[in-house]
């Protein structure tokens, strides 16, 4: 994962529009796929393809550290498995949830490389409060058999977003500010996307759900993938924080 010399600047510039096109195709297939096999196939192909391109994005730039990139990439690969499991014709919702949960744990481990656990308590309070409110509103609609899994997932997701937000807050103004800010945006967007998915699944169908859920999800993983890339001076700052 540490070799990026073969990745050309032109390929790096092309990744963003490639991800955008695949994501738009996945959304279009999701919206039009009900009862239309051709559109459903577009969704099934484009949805994981977009995530694969996001993983390529995380591998394309020189990283802050190889350890940080390794953990983020593993988290993104787990998200890819979650993508596939959630769209499988069989009901593999819990399996998909577990795949995403493991991915969030890897994201958290990456964020902990240069920030303390629980840094910035206000960030944690805000994210956990949002998770609790969301669970409270959805609780009557969640099947009892799924409540335990949903609670665990919501807490881990909130912890991931909170650690990313607190990390960005801690690094504001230093050489890691921009990469940390990207990860924080990604973490918050992940909370938004998964909240929309939960409302669509448990409370009632959202209009154009594929657009809102997938749009926020792909934006989330894109920002997290881009948080791997170092800015000038970021490597030295990370190494100093680990010393």
């Amino acid at each position: 994962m540490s070799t990026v010399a073969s990745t050309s600047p032109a390929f790096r510039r092309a990744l963003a529009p490639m991800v955008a096109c695949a994501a738009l195709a996945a959304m279009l297939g999701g919206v039009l796929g009900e009862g239309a096999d051709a559109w459903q196939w577009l969704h099934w192909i484009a949805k994981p393809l977009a995530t694969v391109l996001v993983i390529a994005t995380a591998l394309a730039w020189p990283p802050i550290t190889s350890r940080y990139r390794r953990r983020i990439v593993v988290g993104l690969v787990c998200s890819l498995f979650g993508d596939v499991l959630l769209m499988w014709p069989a009901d593999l919702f819990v399996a998909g949830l577990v795949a995403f949960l493991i991915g969030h744990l890897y994201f958290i481990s990456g964020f902990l490389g240069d920030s303390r656990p629980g840094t910035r308590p206000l960030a944690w309070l805000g994210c956990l409060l949002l998770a609790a409110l969301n669970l409270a509103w959805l609780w009557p609609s969640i099947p009892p058999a799924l409540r335990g899994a949903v609670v665990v997932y919501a807490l881990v997701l909130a912890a991931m977003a909170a650690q990313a937000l607190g990390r960005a807050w801690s690094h504001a103004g230093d050489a890691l500010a921009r990469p940390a800010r990207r990860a924080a945006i990604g973490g918050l967007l992940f909370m938004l996307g998964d909240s929309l998915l939960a409302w669509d699944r448990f409370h009632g169908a959202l209009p154009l759900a594929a657009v809102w859920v997938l749009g926020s999800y792909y934006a989330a993983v894109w920002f997290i993938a881009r948080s791997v890339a170092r800015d000038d001076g970021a490597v030295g700052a990370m190494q100093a924080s680990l010393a």
Side-chain angles (χ1 to χ4, degrees):
M1 290 184 185
S2 61
T3 301
V4 295
S6 60
T7 305
S8 70
F11 177 71
R12 295 175 193 171
R13 288 193 298 269
L15 278 167
M18 289 165 66
V19 171
C21 288
L24 288 171
M27 287 184 264
L28 183 63
V31 170
L32 301 177
E34 294 296 329
D37 289 344
W39 290 111
Q40 192 67 60
W41 275 107
L42 176 65
H43 178 71
W44 287 342
I45 293 170
K47 188 170 184 258
L49 175 62
T51 310
V52 169
L53 291 170
V54 169
I55 294 169
T57 298
L59 294 169
W61 273 266
I64 293 172
T65 68
S66 59
R67 182 174 70 173
Y68 180 77
R69 177 167 63 183
R70 183 165 53 250
R71 294 179 180 182
I72 295 300
V73 168
V74 173
L76 292 171
V77 170
C78 290
S79 298
L80 173 61
F81 280 109
D83 284 341
V84 173
L85 291 168
L86 288 182
M87 71 177 182
W88 207 259
D91 187 2
L92 297 175
F93 178 76
V94 173
L97 214 63
V98 170
F100 277 111
L101 185 146
I102 295 170
H104 293 322
L105 292 175
Y106 271 98
F107 294 149
I108 291 170
S109 70
F111 302 152
L112 288 173
D114 60 291
S115 62
R116 292 179 292 102
T119 186
R120 301 294 179 176
L122 282 178
W124 281 76
L125 179 63
C127 290
L128 290 172
L129 181 60
L130 285 174
L133 289 173
N134 203 30
L135 281 171
W137 286 329
L138 286 173
W139 194 255
S141 306
I142 302 173
L146 293 178
R147 285 176 177 172
V150 171
V151 168
V152 171
Y153 180 81
L155 291 175
V156 173
L157 174 62
M160 185 274 289
Q163 187 65 32
L165 187 59
R167 174 175 175 260
W169 194 344
S170 298
H171 285 296
D174 69 22
L176 288 174
R178 289 178 64 187
R181 189 162 56 244
R182 292 179 194 130
I185 293 170
L188 293 174
L189 285 170
F190 231 129
M191 281 195 72
L192 172 63
D194 281 357
S195 296
L196 293 172
L197 176 62
W199 277 88
D200 181 65
R201 182 177 179 90
F202 298 125
H203 190 268
L206 296 176
L208 300 176
V211 173
W212 313 120
V213 173
L214 291 179
S216 53
Y217 166 67
Y218 287 124
V221 291
W222 168 261
F223 275 105
I224 291 173
R226 289 291 286 117
S227 76
V228 168
R230 68 176 185 243
D231 292 331
D232 290 342
V235 173
M238 174 70 90
Q239 291 172 343
S241 70
L242 296 174

